[in-house]
Amino acid sequence: MAILDFSKDSDKSIAIHFHTKELGPEGQPLYYHTPENPAVIKGHVEFRTVKETKGGDIDFTFEARVQAKWTEHHGKTTVSFNNLKRLQEKSWEIKLNRTNPKTIAPGVTRFDFEVQLEPGLPSSIEGTRGWFHYRFKAHIKRSFPHRDMAAKELVWVYSSSLHANERHEPKIYKSLWNDVLPVTCTLPSDIFYQGQIVPLTVQFEPFLDNSIHRGQELIVISAFIKMKQYTKLTDPKMLGKVRNDKKTVFSLPVTKDWPQTNQGFTKTIMVELPGAKQLAAAIESGPVTKRHTLKLIMMVRTNMNAEKEAKELRVEMDVKITAPRPEHIRDMTPDHAAPPPYQSIDTDNEDDDAMPPEFSRSNSDSKGYGDHQTDVKHPQDL
C-alpha cells in the first residue's frame, strides 16, 4: 500500500521500487531465500521534483532487523522494553543533481540497487511484540527536520531451511497412556513449511496384558489437534528482562471415523498448516525466539466405563516451522479442499488446552518489473 504525503511537498516525491512480480502477505514484494540460492533483492530509488528544492542527498539504507518491543504496567508505573538487533545492513549515499551545494535541480534521479542476503537469515515475521523485518529506507534531510522527506518499504522474505529434494526420516513419538495403552504418533519429519499439508498417523495398540482394561474396547469421546507457538522476548538492557508468550495458531477438531474396538487401530489425519503470517517461522535470535509444538489431545474411555470416567490422552510433538521453497508455492493449487476451521487465539492462560465438547459418532467433518511504490512519510513516523 502506498501513502503519499503531499501536504508540504506536493511538487516533489521519493519512492522505492522493487524488480519482482511476486507478492507476499499484504501485497509486499516477495523474495525466496534458500540454502542453494540466496535471495538477491533488486530495485531502484526514484526522486522527482518539478522545481528547485532545498535539501541534501539521499541516505538509503537496508536492514535485516529483529526487534522485541513491549510495555508492562506495574501499579501506576509503565515500563517499556525495546531490543533491536541488525543481522545484516548496507547503506548508500545517492547524489542528486544540483544547481548549487544546497539546492536540488529540477528533474528525476534514479538509483539502481542490489542486495544479496546472507545465508541463514530468518524468514520475515510479524507479531504484536516481536518481529523480523527486511527494511529499506530512503531519507532526504532538509533545513528543517519536520520537512525532511523519507520513504520506507518492507519486503517479505521466505527463508527456507529445506534443501531441494531433501529426504527426511519419519519422526516417531511414543507414549504409554496411564501405563496401560501404547500410543504412537508418526510424522513424515519434524520440519515443515508454512502451508504444508502434513499426514499425522496415530496408532493405538490393544491394552496391555497386565492391565485391568485388557480386552476392553477403546472409545474416543472427543479429539482435536492443536498447534502452539511459543515466543520468548528478551531485553538485556533491562536487567536481562524476559517475556514468554504463547499462541494457539489453530485448533482442529477430529470428529470422524474413530473406530470402537479392542484390537487396536491406526488412523491418519491430514493436517493443513496455515501460511504466513498466521503461522510464524521458527527463529532463534537475541531479541526474539519462536518455537512450535503440535499436540494431539483426546478424551477416551473403555466400553466398561461411564462417560464421566473418560480421561485425557495427550501426545505433544515438537516441530520446526520453516518457509516454503518456490516449488512448494507452485504446487499449491487454488482448488484444493477448504482448510479446516482454524481458531487463532493469543493467550497467556495456562489452561487454554481445555477439551472441546463431545461429538456424536454420527457427526462428520465438517508496471514494468512489477514495481511496488512505497510509503512516503515524515521520518518521525518511520
Side-chain angles (χ1 to χ4, degrees):
M1 180 176 63
I3 304 174
L4 301 181
D5 183 359
F6 289 135
S7 59
K8 297 182 179 66
D9 300 302
S10 59
D11 53 0
K12 61 188 72 67
S13 66
I14 185 171
I16 308 171
H17 301 268
F18 294 90
H19 302 173
T20 177
K21 294 181 179 180
E22 303 226 41
L23 300 179
E26 296 188 347
Q28 296 170 336
L30 173 64
Y31 293 87
Y32 293 94
H33 190 50
T34 66
E36 305 90 349
N37 297 302
V40 178
I41 302 174
K42 297 181 180 181
H44 66 272
V45 181
E46 187 174 276
F47 175 74
R48 294 173 177 267
T49 180
V50 298
K51 64 180 183 180
E52 291 185 347
T53 301
K54 299 290 185 181
D57 292 322
I58 300 175
D59 293 322
F60 184 51
T61 59
F62 160 74
E63 294 179 343
R65 46 192 276 163
V66 58
Q67 187 170 11
K69 186 175 183 180
W70 76 98
T71 59
E72 294 182 1
H73 301 282
H74 303 277
K76 295 182 179 180
T77 303
T78 300
V79 182
S80 298
F81 303 91
N82 187 7
N83 186 11
L84 171 65
K85 182 178 180 180
R86 297 172 179 85
L87 302 189
Q88 183 180 345
E89 55 187 325
K90 189 174 181 179
S91 62
W92 302 261
E93 184 180 10
I94 304 174
K95 298 293 185 180
L96 298 174
N97 297 323
R98 298 186 170 276
T99 58
N100 62 59
K102 294 185 177 181
T103 305
I104 305 169
V108 178
T109 298
R110 169 175 169 148
F111 175 80
D112 293 297
F113 65 87
E114 178 178 313
V115 176
Q116 179 171 310
L117 299 186
E118 297 174 358
L121 287 174
S123 288
S124 296
I125 293 175
E126 290 290 354
T128 304
R129 306 178 185 96
W131 48 86
F132 188 90
H133 286 165
Y134 291 87
R135 192 186 81 162
F136 291 82
K137 181 180 176 181
H139 182 200
I140 297 178
K141 293 183 178 180
R142 305 182 70 191
S143 53
F144 297 99
H146 70 277
R147 300 190 66 192
D148 285 4
M149 296 188 67
K152 181 183 71 172
E153 177 76 26
L154 300 180
V155 301
W156 193 273
V157 175
Y158 279 139
S159 179
S160 180
S161 63
L162 298 172
H163 291 75
N165 303 315
E166 184 174 1
R167 302 183 68 87
H168 296 273
E169 293 294 325
K171 189 69 174 180
I172 300 174
Y173 305 83
K174 291 182 176 291
S175 178
L176 186 61
W177 178 73
N178 277 8
D179 297 324
V180 297
L181 180 66
V183 183
T184 302
C185 288
T186 304
L187 293 169
S189 171
D190 60 354
I191 303 177
F192 304 107
Y193 59 86
Q194 296 154 319
Q196 183 174 353
I197 299 176
V198 179
L200 168 62
T201 300
V202 184
Q203 180 181 9
F204 289 90
E205 298 181 24
F207 287 101
L208 297 179
D209 290 341
N210 60 354
S211 166
I212 61 173
H213 300 299
R214 176 185 176 186
Q216 295 180 13
E217 296 178 348
L218 179 70
I219 300 176
V220 177
I221 303 300
S222 59
F224 68 101
I225 295 170
K226 175 178 288 190
M227 173 70 79
K228 295 300 289 289
Q229 180 172 284
Y230 300 93
T231 302
K232 178 181 177 182
L233 309 174
T234 64
D235 187 357
K237 302 187 300 298
M238 304 293 286
L239 301 177
K241 175 66 179 180
V242 174
R243 178 188 174 109
N244 292 295
D245 293 336
K246 62 182 179 179
K247 171 185 177 181
T248 299
V249 181
F250 68 82
S251 182
L252 171 63
V254 184
T255 62
K256 187 177 180 181
D257 297 333
W258 290 105
Q260 179 175 330
T261 176
N262 64 359
Q263 300 299 313
F265 62 89
T266 299
K267 177 178 175 63
T268 298
I269 306 163
M270 304 305 293
V271 181
E272 184 172 356
L273 302 181
K277 308 176 330 186
Q278 183 179 348
L279 175 60
I283 181 174
E284 293 185 15
S285 69
V288 180
T289 299
K290 287 184 181 288
R291 61 181 182 87
H292 301 83
T293 300
L294 191 66
K295 300 183 180 184
L296 172 66
I297 305 175
M298 311 173 69
M299 292 297 289
V300 299
R301 66 177 180 89
T302 73
N303 61 310
M304 302 299 292
N305 297 125
E307 294 280 345
K308 64 181 181 179
E309 297 178 285
K311 296 182 179 180
E312 182 184 272
L313 185 155
R314 175 187 296 250
V315 181
E316 299 193 356
M317 298 157 275
D318 291 334
V319 297
K320 179 180 179 181
I321 302 300
T322 188
R325 294 174 57 88
E327 57 267 29
H328 296 148
I329 298 296
R330 288 195 294 267
D331 289 342
M332 294 180 185
T333 56
D335 56 350
H336 62 69
Y342 292 135
Q343 301 169 353
S344 180
I345 306 168
D346 287 297
T347 176
D348 295 318
N349 181 3
E350 294 295 334
D351 299 320
D352 67 344
D353 280 349
M355 294 298 301
E358 296 180 9
F359 56 78
S360 166
R361 289 192 171 276
S362 62
N363 287 354
S364 60
D365 285 319
S366 0
K367 317 177 197 166
Y369 296 114
D371 287 341
H372 306 275
Q373 189 167 319
T374 68
D375 292 356
V376 178
K377 301 179 181 177
H378 293 296
Q380 59 266 29
D381 298 325
L382 303 177

